[in-house]
Amino acid sequence: MIEEHDHEYRSGIGTDIHRFAEGRKLMLGGVLIEHPFGLAGHSDGDVALHAVIDALLGAACMGDIGTIFPDSDEQYKDADSKGLLLDIKERLEEERWVIVNVDLTIQAEQPRLENIKPQIKRCIASLLGIDFTAMNVKAKTNEGLGEVGQGQAIAATEIALLKRKYKRTL
Ligand SMILES: [Zn+2]
């Protein structure tokens, strides 16, 4: 029997990778970072926010970022990914989902993100309206291996947990 206080829990994972491109601003986790190159992409190329979006969509069983914001759609050209994340947050709220926690890992050889992690954490936590204690950002290199290790791209992986109260079915 389902009690009124019972919740259902769902986890989701999101991964993304974007290559560096000249003449682009580097947006990472909603933060503008001083760097010679930005990330290529139809939107602003914010690989970290895209991973967050896909993890949230995954947990809520709502599909994926490419279906909701197709890169064939001109309205998302150079789109600010913070706006895309806020759109997803609204969709979650409509379905009564509450974010329990998010854990983000960014893999970048350059720039070094050690000092930028707190800013990214603050930015994503405030966009999602969650407590700092529910938001974690990890940064690592790729030990010189592959596209990320050779400094050609930045990758991100994110996991999120959502909860909502069971609807009483009488
Ligand atoms: Zn992306």
Side-chain angles (χ1 to χ4, degrees):
M1 180 185 155
I2 294 169
E3 299 290 333
E4 195 141 29
H5 60 265
D6 282 347
H7 286 84
E8 56 177 326
Y9 288 85
R10 298 281 181 86
S11 63
I13 191 165
T15 67
D16 200 15
I17 185 166
H18 282 248
R19 67 175 70 246
F20 280 111
E22 285 182 23
R24 305 262 302 173
K25 288 180 189 164
L26 179 56
M27 294 298 301
L28 209 47
V31 177
L32 176 63
I33 296 170
E34 203 59 46
H35 197 61
F37 306 105
L39 293 172
H42 185 66
S43 66
D44 63 3
D46 193 326
V47 67
L49 290 191
H50 295 176
V52 172
I53 287 170
D54 255 356
L56 294 172
L57 288 174
C61 290
M62 287 184 184
D64 61 45
I65 187 170
T67 309
I68 294 180
F69 308 115
D71 62 9
S72 54
D73 191 331
E74 277 303 302
Q75 70 169 303
Y76 303 122
K77 181 150 174 39
D78 297 323
D80 182 345
S81 295
K82 295 195 285 296
L84 305 184
L85 183 61
L86 290 173
D87 181 310
I88 296 304
K89 187 190 161 204
E90 267 177 36
R91 291 170 193 245
L92 294 180
E93 283 166 357
E94 279 165 20
E95 295 295 321
R96 301 177 297 108
W97 287 113
V98 173
I99 298 167
V100 178
N101 78 304
V102 296
D103 181 19
L104 170 68
T105 299
I106 303 170
Q107 282 169 277
E109 211 69 22
Q110 290 292 335
R112 295 292 156 140
L113 300 171
E114 202 52 37
N115 298 326
I116 303 168
K117 280 192 299 183
Q119 255 176 286
I120 293 176
K121 174 174 163 157
R122 270 199 302 276
C123 180
I124 298 176
S126 72
L127 285 168
L128 294 176
I130 60 174
D131 198 88
F132 288 167
T133 57
M135 172 80 221
N136 191 55
V137 179
K138 306 190 292 293
K140 57 200 297 182
T141 68
N142 214 34
E143 298 287 329
L145 295 167
E147 298 92 340
V148 171
Q150 283 153 22
Q152 296 166 2
I154 296 182
T157 306
E158 210 259 356
I159 191 160
L161 183 66
L162 304 180
K163 69 172 180 181
R164 71 178 170 189
K165 280 187 177 156
Y166 282 111
K167 260 192 180 148
R168 277 176 79 82
T169 43
L170 298 171

